[in-house]
């Protein structure tokens, strides 16, 4: 065979192989505590599961409207508005099989080869991959722990060139948990307007914030609805990762073309999942608050454990991750993760997977109740590494 696998060679999955590698190692070990993937251990609330079951019984086994069932798109619009977001009509919303697919649909719809897309770094890695598939150039805007990995308007402006077309905001950020303060979002929006950028605002973790931190929806700001695509989904706030329901919402001049691409990819999102999502958004919301409180309690446990070990971290203000700096172990974050897995049977990922430009950080998910045990195991491994170095 002479043909080369075009897509595989085009997308440079920097460090992404580490996820598979760590999974392979974990597979061969007993009783691994997983602080790896961003997949809640908490179950989808029972009333949402029941709505899915009922929908199946009533024949929700077909394709739906390509943009998503109208009642769900109305519920999404209402939900966005209720949380201070923009005023979207249901036909400005496209339901997708997860927010993940939305990233690729949007990138392929907006970016021409050679266009520049500005992406915070570290930041959720599929944005880089989506940009590469569109043959666009990813411009990494590097944030650092000195500013709690916060993106600023100055950083964005400094990265702009005549080729800049799209700016990605991930708020709260994965992997760092940083919530960009509302006043900074306003300043970044001003830069986007000044330089005529389209903003993809990933607000999938917006319901999961801690302390006084709150997300300012970008599209609700003056002059932003016409240049912002809001991306979100139900995976995180409602513990619905396996149902695969996400969405994007945007201006009327962009949505039809993007909806076309989504239709070409998926035809429509699974009907049963859309009915469950409708129940999630229109039913009681205390389940979201209960889950948020659970993650918050785990976050405190994990931070106390890191404090005791003298391992610094970025303040996690949202999402369900802790981004910790393990440079003091002296072996690099990638080697540290592998050692922790083999010797401590605790799985976490090095920051390189999220485009980190150092090998200093690890991302720890709060998606297990076994945090105290994980921290005890981590202490044993960290102590051993430090003894060796002494
Ligand atoms: N956006 C961010 C920042 C994420 O971390 C994730 C998943 O981890 C997604 C979007 C996609 O989630 P899903 O495809 O489950 O909606």
């Amino acid at each position: 065979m002479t043909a080369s696998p075009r897509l595989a060679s085009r997308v440079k999955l920097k460090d992404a192989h580490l996820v598979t590698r760590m999974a392979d190692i974990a597979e061969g070990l007993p009783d691994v505590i997983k602080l790896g993937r961003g997949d809640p251990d908490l179950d989808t609330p029972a009333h949402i599961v029941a709505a899915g079951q009922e929908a199946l019984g009533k024949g929700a086994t077909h394709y739906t409207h390509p943009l998503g069932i109208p009642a769900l798109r109305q519920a999404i619009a209402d939900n966005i508005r209720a949380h201070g977001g923009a005023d979207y009509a249901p036909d400005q919303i496209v339901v997708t099989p997860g927010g993940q697919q939305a990233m690729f649909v949007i990138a392929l719809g907006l970016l021409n080869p050679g266009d520049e897309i500005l992406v915070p770094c570290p930041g959720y890695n599929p944005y880089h991959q989506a940009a590469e598939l569109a043959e666009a150039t990813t411009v990494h805007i590097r944030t650092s722990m000195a500013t709690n990995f916060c993106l600023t308007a100055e950083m964005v402006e400094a990265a702009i060139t005549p080729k800049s077309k799209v700016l990605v905001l991930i708020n709260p950020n994965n992997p760092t948990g940083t919530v960009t303060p509302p006043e900074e979002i306003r300043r970044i929006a001003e830069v986007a307007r000044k330089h005529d950028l389209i903003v993809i605002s990933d607000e999938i973790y917006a319901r999961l914030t801690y302390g006084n931190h709150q997300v300012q929806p970008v599209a609700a700001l003056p002059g932003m609805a016409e240049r912002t695509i809001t991306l979100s989904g139900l995976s995180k706030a409602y513990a619905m990762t396996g149902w695969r329901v996400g969405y994007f919402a945007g201006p009327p001049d962009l949505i039809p073309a993007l909806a076309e691409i989504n239709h070409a990819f998926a035809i429509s999102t699974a009907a049963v999942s859309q009915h469950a999502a409708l129940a999630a958004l229109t039913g009681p919301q205390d389940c979201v608050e209960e889950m948020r409180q659970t993650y918050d309690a785990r976050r405190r446990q994990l931070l106390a454990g890191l404090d005791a070990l003298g391992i610094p971290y970025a303040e996690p203000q949202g999402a369900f991750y802790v981004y910790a700096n393990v440079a003091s172990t002296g072996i690099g974050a990638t080697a540290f993760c592998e050692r922790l897995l083999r010797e401590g049977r605790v799985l976490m990922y090095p920051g390189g997977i999220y485009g980190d430009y150092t090998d200093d950080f690890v991302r720890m998910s709060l998606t297990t109740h076994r945090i105290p045990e994980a921290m005890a195991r981590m202490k044993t491994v960290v102590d051993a590494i430090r003894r060796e170095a002494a």
Side-chain angles (χ1 to χ4, degrees), residues 98-100 103 124 170 174 202 204-205 231 235-236 244 321:
Q100 193 93 349
M103 292 168 201
Y124 192 53
I170 308 169
N174 173 10
D202 183 331
I204 200 166
Y205 295 103
L231 183 151
S235 289
K236 313 294 179 175
R244 311 307 302 127
Y321 308 105

Side-chain angles (χ1 to χ4, degrees), residues 73-325:
R73 284 185 283 126
Q74 182 64 58
I76 291 169
D78 293 345
N79 188 264
I80 291 174
R81 201 176 311 111
H83 288 96
D87 208 353
Y88 290 112
D91 63 1
Q92 289 177 265
I93 292 168
V94 182
V95 180
T96 59
Q100 193 93 349
Q101 177 166 306
M103 292 168 201
F104 289 81
V105 167
I106 297 166
L108 290 171
L110 295 184
L111 294 164
N112 289 312
D115 285 343
E116 289 180 358
I117 173 170
L118 284 62
V119 183
C121 179
Y124 192 53
N125 52 323
Y127 284 104
H128 307 214
Q129 296 160 1
E132 282 174 9
L133 274 179
E135 295 187 20
T137 305
T138 307
V139 175
H140 301 276
I141 308 182
R142 290 182 173 184
T143 60
S144 75
M145 194 152 106
T147 52
N148 208 59
F149 293 99
C150 189
L151 190 69
T152 65
E154 286 74 21
M155 289 176 191
V156 174
E157 193 144 35
I160 289 174
T161 76
K163 291 184 176 168
S164 306
K165 185 165 187 187
V166 173
L167 167 67
V168 175
L169 301 177
I170 308 169
N171 193 24
N173 186 262
N174 173 10
T176 62
T178 309
V179 173
T180 313
E183 59 277 15
E184 198 59 54
I185 289 288
R186 283 190 198 95
R187 297 176 66 241
I188 293 171
E190 220 173 287
V191 171
R193 282 194 302 270
K194 182 172 152 198
H195 294 275
D196 196 22
L197 299 180
I198 299 173
V199 176
I200 302 173
S201 185
D202 183 331
E203 298 169 12
I204 200 166
Y205 295 103
R207 299 284 88 74
L208 300 172
T209 59
Y210 309 109
N212 296 327
H213 299 282
Q214 282 205 330
V215 169
Q216 166 62 55
V218 177
L221 295 172
M224 291 308 289
E226 56 263 45
R227 62 175 65 255
T228 302
I229 299 182
T230 304
L231 183 151
S232 192
L234 286 92
S235 289
K236 313 294 179 175
Y238 297 92
M240 290 181 69
T241 43
W243 297 82
R244 311 307 302 127
V245 192
Y247 58 86
F248 61 88
D253 58 330
L254 292 179
I255 287 297
L258 298 176
E260 258 325 278
I261 299 173
N262 189 61
H263 181 255
F265 270 141
I267 301 186
S268 59
T269 299
V272 56
S273 299
Q274 292 192 57
H275 283 280
L278 176 61
L281 292 175
T282 55
Q285 297 300 300
D286 26 325
C287 54
V288 179
E289 176 56 14
E290 277 165 26
M291 291 193 257
R292 191 195 68 80
Q293 286 181 14
T294 301
Y295 297 130
D296 195 12
R298 292 174 180 178
R299 182 181 74 109
R300 289 165 202 272
Q301 282 176 339
L302 200 149
L303 298 185
L306 291 174
D307 286 338
L309 283 174
I311 291 182
Y313 48 82
E315 185 203 347
Q317 303 161 332
F320 41 50
Y321 308 105
V322 174
Y323 205 56
N325 185 329

